[in-house]
Amino acid sequence: MLNRRFFFIIGLVLLLAAVVLVWYFVYVTPKAAPSLAQPTNPFPTSTFSRGFQFIFGQNKTGEEAVPQTPDATPAAQQTLIEIWNKPATGAAFVAQQVLIQVEATTTPKGTTTPIVIQKTVRATSTLLMFVDRTTGYIYGYNMEEGTINQLTNTTVIGVHDAYIYSNGKRVMMRRYDEDSKAIITIVANIPAPIQNGPPQALSQMTSLPLNVASIAINKKGDRLSYLVPNSSGSSIYTLGATGGTLVSTSPFSEWSLFYGGDTLYATTKPSAYLLGMTTALPSFEYLIGNKTGLMSNASDKGALLNSVWTDSGLVTYLSATQGEIILQAKTLASKCTWGTREFLICAIPKTLPVSDEGMPDDWLQGRTSFDDTLETVDVGSGTSYPLYSFDPSKGEMDVTNIGLSSDNKWVTFIRKQTGSLWLLRTENITY
């Protein structure tokens, strides 16, 4: 009896000792000593949302982005920036050598008086180059400094669309000429930009045949193709150093050209009233067809993002060698761009008509508009994740002409309602 009581008391003492030790080391001893230089932060600072796992290789979860207010902050710290508040076109990210004018002080021999001289040096800079549609002037937005410089002073009145390619060395512009009632297309060399220097003239300007109806440029910016309607249908050319090289001809003239890698594709112009198809050139190999309102958008690896209008409304889907995947997000294929790791960034309308009647014709012709948010899309599963929601105080944002930098850090787009050019810095998005 005494032995049993003795062991019971010993066990109770050991249990109390264990409780005291756990309390001391877990609940009393601090895990980190906070300081002014490095305060304790209970939240991880390197967690990315699932929307970024396709961009940066992360596999985390997070909440929808909340737009930051960029007022009174340096450009590099702003999330969303209106680069140009007038109609713009042809936005392209260009990494190139920029000529910078700097001042240097020197003392000539035989004197003691220093003099200041101007020197021009080369520096590598990332420019967002674009064309002002009203004047045809080319501008460069310096991504590091957040400044805009006018690069050219050659006037091209009323530019409809423009394409900057060949790493910022060449430009193609289209405009409608009221006198001849024809579409005029010019191609020219862009002068090397001089940062903070005077704008320069375009050089070696040449004209393409009248009424170029569609233009496509590959992602690398070293290949440009265009379509010219004629009495027998249309001819498609790829622009080279000595002019246009014939790629193919067609008995149809209503084609929209686009590139996926170095492969050139052609889709019939989308309409709710016509059955469309997508083909691969030069042989017009049939890929997709018998679809109303068909739009297609190809990746560098040959996957096709497609949007069609059915009796129940808009359907957005991916087609590739492994089959078809219907996306959660419903949007037009032209409202998306492909990332360098085979993912998508898309503008997703908050509301859509449930009928195919009049769409996408009404949107293309400006009779209706959308109010979009931005999302990333995993092309493997078709799942979409929130990327950015616009501040409602800015009004509806109908996003077109999305572009993405090669490192996936910067997204550009045109606001369809005004034609203005915007820049979104994904690295500044907070969750």
Side-chain angles (χ1 to χ4, degrees):
M1 186 70 178
L2 290 176
N3 287 339
R4 182 180 299 175
R5 184 177 298 175
F6 174 78
F7 285 118
F8 176 78
I9 294 173
I10 293 296
L12 183 61
V13 170
L14 292 175
L15 179 61
L16 291 173
V19 170
V20 170
L21 289 173
V22 170
W23 173 80
Y24 178 80
F25 286 106
V26 175
Y27 295 98
V28 175
T29 305
K31 295 181 180 180
S35 67
L36 292 176
Q38 190 174 2
T40 301
N41 184 1
F43 302 103
T45 58
S46 60
T47 299
F48 292 92
S49 74
R50 292 191 67 186
F52 278 91
Q53 64 178 308
F54 320 112
I55 306 177
F56 301 112
Q58 302 294 323
N59 191 23
K60 305 289 185 179
T61 59
E63 303 297 330
E64 182 173 355
V66 177
Q68 299 177 350
T69 301
D71 296 343
T73 59
Q77 299 176 20
Q78 296 179 27
T79 302
L80 182 67
I81 306 171
E82 185 178 24
I83 301 296
W84 200 246
N85 62 7
K86 295 172 287 187
T89 182
F93 292 102
V94 176
Q96 60 181 210
Q97 294 290 315
V98 179
L99 302 178
I100 301 178
Q101 291 182 339
V102 298
E103 291 185 350
T105 302
T106 183
T107 303
K109 289 183 178 181
T111 69
T112 59
T113 303
I115 60 173
V116 177
I117 60 173
Q118 293 282 342
K119 295 180 63 177
T120 301
V121 299
R122 292 184 178 271
T124 301
S125 179
T126 301
L127 294 179
L128 173 60
M129 296 176 65
F130 62 93
V131 176
D132 176 72
R133 289 180 55 187
T134 303
T135 62
Y137 296 155
I138 299 175
Y139 292 84
Y141 176 82
N142 188 295
M143 304 299 295
E144 288 77 23
E145 298 180 359
T147 56
I148 295 178
N149 294 313
Q150 182 180 338
L151 305 180
T152 67
N153 57 11
T154 302
T155 302
V156 182
I157 299 295
V159 174
H160 178 268
D161 56 353
Y163 303 83
I164 294 172
Y165 64 106
S166 189
N167 196 34
K169 297 180 177 66
R170 300 270 284 168
V171 64
M172 176 184 282
M173 301 184 193
R174 289 196 305 168
R175 68 178 182 88
Y176 181 73
D177 184 67
E178 190 65 38
D179 294 333
S180 62
K181 306 297 181 184
I183 298 173
I184 308 296
T185 304
I186 65 167
V187 182
N189 289 344
I190 303 173
I194 301 177
Q195 189 165 331
N196 300 322
Q200 304 170 77
L202 295 173
S203 63
Q204 299 186 26
M205 292 181 62
T206 59
S207 296
L208 295 184
L210 295 177
N211 296 317
V212 168
S214 182
I215 296 173
I217 181 171
N218 67 349
K219 194 169 184 177
K220 291 186 293 186
D222 60 0
R223 187 171 297 183
L224 187 148
S225 299
Y226 59 94
L227 179 145
V228 181
N230 51 48
S231 59
S232 59
S234 61
S235 298
I236 298 170
Y237 302 87
T238 293
L239 190 64
T242 58
T245 301
L246 182 65
V247 174
S248 187
T249 60
S250 170
F252 303 103
S253 60
E254 296 294 309
W255 292 105
S256 295
L257 304 179
F258 60 98
Y259 269 98
D262 289 332
T263 301
L264 183 60
Y265 298 86
T267 297
T268 49
K269 287 194 175 180
S271 173
Y273 311 105
L274 296 172
L275 296 177
M277 64 178 176
T278 296
T279 63
L281 299 178
S283 62
F284 287 94
E285 176 189 356
Y286 177 90
L287 300 175
I288 301 170
N290 200 33
K291 308 290 186 182
T292 54
L294 173 65
M295 293 181 177
S296 296
N297 186 342
S299 75
D300 286 348
K301 296 182 179 179
L304 284 175
L305 172 70
N306 311 287
S307 59
V308 297
W309 289 88
T310 68
D311 292 340
S312 58
L314 180 63
V315 176
T316 310
Y317 67 99
L318 287 158
S319 58
T321 54
Q322 64 269 26
E324 295 182 350
I325 299 175
I326 296 179
L327 302 187
Q328 291 178 342
K330 296 182 179 182
T331 189
L332 303 179
S334 63
K335 281 179 168 282
C336 297
T337 189
W338 289 90
T340 53
R341 292 189 179 139
E342 207 72 358
F343 70 98
L344 288 162
I345 291 182
C346 294
I348 311 297
K350 295 177 183 177
T351 58
L352 283 166
V354 295
S355 170
D356 63 338
E357 182 67 26
M359 295 297 289
D361 308 64
D362 289 346
W363 179 76
L364 291 170
Q365 296 167 15
R367 289 192 292 267
T368 188
S369 64
F370 299 129
D371 188 14
D372 297 328
T373 62
L374 297 179
E375 297 185 4
T376 57
V377 179
D378 176 7
V379 299
S381 65
T383 305
S384 60
Y385 303 96
L387 175 65
Y388 192 82
S389 294
F390 298 105
D391 187 342
S393 66
K394 297 183 183 297
E396 289 188 354
M397 298 290 285
D398 193 348
V399 173
T400 65
N401 301 85
I402 295 183
L404 184 62
S405 62
S406 59
D407 58 6
N408 301 323
K409 289 183 178 180
W410 300 316
V411 180
T412 62
F413 62 89
I414 298 293
R415 185 181 187 181
K416 192 171 185 288
Q417 292 97 331
T418 61
S420 54
L421 176 63
W422 295 72
L423 174 72
L424 177 71
R425 293 178 179 264
T426 60
E427 58 189 351
N428 290 350
I429 295 176
T430 58
Y431 287 82

